[in-house]
């Protein structure tokens, strides 16, 4: 069985030996799914680190099968899908924990928010989905808070005294201090999607838009929207587009503007760290750091770092 080249490379990079072993097992798991649910699996979608493919049941019903390495990420995704049930998230039809399998309702027509030409329209649609995803933080859960993200950044700062990739030590330390202060001052904890961006929001029937692929996280809604702000940006006019996006999302969802900018700055730094660690350093994320600095200065008349002074 031949898999997409990029998928194989990403699985190896991200999961190392465990990924290699899983890739060997994958044809067997696909066969297992076809037997267990009496279905025929079709050509997979464009893959990153999970195997996702449409499939047809014997009765003709179309579904989607997602096969993941059955570790922490998979369990978090499954738990968030269950917690968000019927609230703007794709429906789970069945699952099998041991083998990392989730059977999902197939969303049709299934194109993503990234295919909406007009950026402002995409923002309004995103706001509608996030409003539906609004859910208080559960008490007993394996899902981590945004403190865990702060710890990832702290680890990078501690291990790289001279900066990391394009990030200077000053920016890393600044972002970490702001991250820590924000985490200490969260007023209302919510269950977050954890990877909310254009490509994880799909068109469903009757003009409904639905989120897929939650990573699960607990924190402030403002934080959950940053990954959306980092995606689908034009080559020119990024500052103006970002400002407009923030204006729409803040008004639609009644967000705290200052904390939105601050989370934006911190997460843009963290997202840059991730891309330096991964296969391709993403200058789009890096460039957003200065956009959040500029926005903060424009609105509050002080440097973003002054927030922690
Ligand atoms: N329920 C679904 N209905 C239709 N298409 C889907 C569904 N779930 C996933 N897809 C398609 O598969 C792609 C990858 O799925 P996703 O869950 O986002 O995987 P990953 O965790 O690798 O990002 C999506 O971008 C989308 O095109
Ligand atoms: Mg995805």
């Amino acid at each position: 069985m031949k898999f997409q080249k990029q998928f194989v490379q990403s699985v190896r990079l991200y999961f190392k030996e465990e990924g290699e072993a899983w890739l060997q097992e994958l044809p067997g798991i696909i066969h297992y799914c076809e037997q267990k649910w009496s279905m025929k699996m079709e050509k997979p979608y464009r893959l990153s680190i999970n195997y996702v493919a449409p499939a047809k049941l014997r009765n003709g019903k179309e579904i989607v099968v997602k096969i993941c390495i059955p570790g922490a990420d998979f369990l978090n995704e499954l738990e968030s899908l269950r917690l968000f049930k019927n609230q703007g998230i794709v429906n789970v039809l069945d699952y099998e924990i041991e083998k990392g399998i989730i059977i999902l309702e197939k969303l049709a027509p299934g194109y993503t928010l990234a295919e909406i030409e007009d950026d402002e329209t995409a923002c309004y649609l995103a706001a509608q989905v996030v409003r539906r995803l609004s859910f208080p933080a559960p008490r007993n859960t394996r899902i981590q808070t945004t403190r865990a993200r702060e710890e990832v950044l702290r680890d990078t700062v501690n291990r790289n005294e001279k900066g990391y990739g394009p990030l200077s030590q000053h920016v890393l330390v600044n972002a970490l201090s702001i991250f820590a202060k924000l985490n200490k001052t969260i007023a209302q904890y919510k269950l977050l999607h954890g990877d909310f961006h254009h490509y994880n929001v799909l068109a469903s029937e009757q003009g409904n838009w639905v989120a897929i692929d939650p990573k699960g996280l607990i924190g402030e809604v403002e934080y959950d929207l940053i990954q959306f702000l980092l995606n689908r940006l034009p080559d020119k006019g990024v500052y103006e587009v970002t400002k407009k996006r923030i204006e729409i999302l803040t008004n639609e969802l009644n967000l705290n503007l200052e904390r939105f900018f601050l989370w934006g700055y911190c997460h843009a730094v963290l997202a840059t760290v991730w891309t330096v660690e991964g296969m391709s350093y993403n200058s789009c994320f890096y460039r957003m750091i200065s956009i959040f600095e500029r926005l903060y200065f424009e609105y509050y008349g002080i440097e973003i770092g002054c927030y922690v002074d």
Side-chain angles (χ1 to χ4, degrees):
M1 197 171 222
K2 226 170 144 36
F3 295 121
Q4 293 165 27
K5 215 165 129 197
Q6 181 77 45
F7 164 67
V8 173
Q9 279 176 0
S10 305
V11 171
R12 284 185 180 143
L13 179 86
Y14 197 72
F15 295 107
K16 314 273 177 325
E17 291 89 51
E18 193 191 2
E20 191 59 57
W22 181 71
L23 286 168
Q24 300 299 320
E25 281 172 41
L26 194 48
I29 304 175
I30 292 169
H31 180 71
Y32 173 86
C33 289
E34 293 193 308
Q35 300 294 307
K36 175 167 176 179
W37 285 280
S38 302
M39 64 184 173
K40 183 86 197 106
M41 283 191 53
E42 293 162 5
K43 200 167 147 257
Y45 296 104
R46 230 177 111 202
L47 303 176
S48 55
I49 52 169
N50 302 300
Y51 188 88
V52 191
K56 211 175 250 171
L57 298 179
R58 222 186 350 230
N59 63 10
K61 185 179 160 80
E62 293 190 282
I63 52 154
V64 167
V65 182
K66 182 163 184 175
I67 309 173
C68 313
I69 290 191
D73 292 353
F74 164 74
L75 293 172
N76 289 341
E77 176 167 352
L78 192 59
E79 179 156 336
S80 334
L81 285 166
R82 283 150 75 182
L83 288 166
F84 278 131
K85 192 172 158 56
N86 296 329
Q87 296 190 81
I89 205 99
V90 64
N91 271 328
V92 175
L93 303 175
D94 204 357
Y95 59 90
E96 188 171 317
I97 288 184
E98 296 72 29
K99 287 194 164 60
I101 304 166
I102 312 179
I103 310 291
L104 297 163
E105 147 204 28
K106 183 174 176 181
L107 300 168
Y111 50 82
T112 74
L113 260 193
E115 283 160 79
I116 297 291
E117 273 301 312
D118 181 58
D119 201 76
E120 293 182 21
T121 307
C123 276
Y124 283 107
L125 293 170
Q128 270 177 31
V129 177
V130 170
R131 199 176 293 120
R132 291 191 63 207
L133 287 174
S134 180
F135 194 83
R139 285 220 180 151
N140 296 315
T141 177
R142 53 168 294 112
I143 297 173
Q144 294 183 307
T145 69
T146 42
R147 276 302 274 272
R149 302 264 173 121
E150 178 192 326
E151 289 313 312
V152 174
L153 191 59
R154 175 162 295 111
D155 192 48
T156 307
V157 173
N158 290 342
R159 282 188 295 109
N160 300 279
E161 282 177 6
K162 294 196 174 111
Y164 189 59
L167 300 161
S168 68
Q169 195 220 12
H170 170 74
V171 167
L172 283 172
V173 170
N174 218 9
L176 181 59
S177 317
I178 297 174
F179 221 132
K181 186 163 170 188
L182 287 171
N183 270 330
K184 281 200 200 100
T185 49
I186 291 178
Q188 204 185 12
Y189 282 91
K190 294 264 182 122
L191 175 66
L192 307 180
H193 179 285
D195 194 23
F196 187 85
H197 54 69
H198 297 72
Y199 302 90
N200 278 340
V201 180
L202 269 56
S204 178
E205 283 109 37
Q206 288 141 15
N208 264 339
W209 288 82
V210 175
I212 60 163
D213 195 18
K215 300 274 171 284
L217 193 64
I218 287 171
E220 285 189 333
V221 177
E222 287 82 353
Y223 183 82
D224 216 13
L225 284 157
I226 308 302
Q227 197 57 42
F228 179 86
L229 296 181
L230 303 190
N231 271 281
R232 274 296 258 129
L233 285 163
D235 293 332
K236 290 205 181 102
V238 176
Y239 182 79
E240 290 71 24
V241 169
T242 303
K243 199 172 155 180
K244 189 72 204 173
R245 286 178 170 186
I246 291 178
E247 185 190 306
I248 294 173
L249 294 169
T250 304
N251 286 340
E252 288 295 296
L253 297 164
N254 198 17
L255 304 177
N256 179 315
L257 189 62
E258 184 180 18
R259 294 180 74 87
F260 208 179
F261 293 151
L262 293 161
W263 283 123
Y265 176 76
C266 297
H267 184 76
V269 171
L270 182 61
T272 305
V273 167
W274 283 334
T275 70
V276 176
E277 279 164 7
M279 280 193 297
S280 54
Y281 153 63
N282 189 330
S283 61
C284 295
F285 296 171
Y286 178 64
R287 145 181 97 158
M288 288 300 287
I289 298 168
S290 59
I291 301 268
F292 287 112
E293 283 173 335
R294 236 179 104 186
L295 281 164
Y296 192 85
F297 189 79
E298 188 189 316
Y299 279 77
Y300 299 102
I302 51 168
E303 301 292 334
I304 203 160
C306 296
Y307 173 72
V308 282
D309 291 341

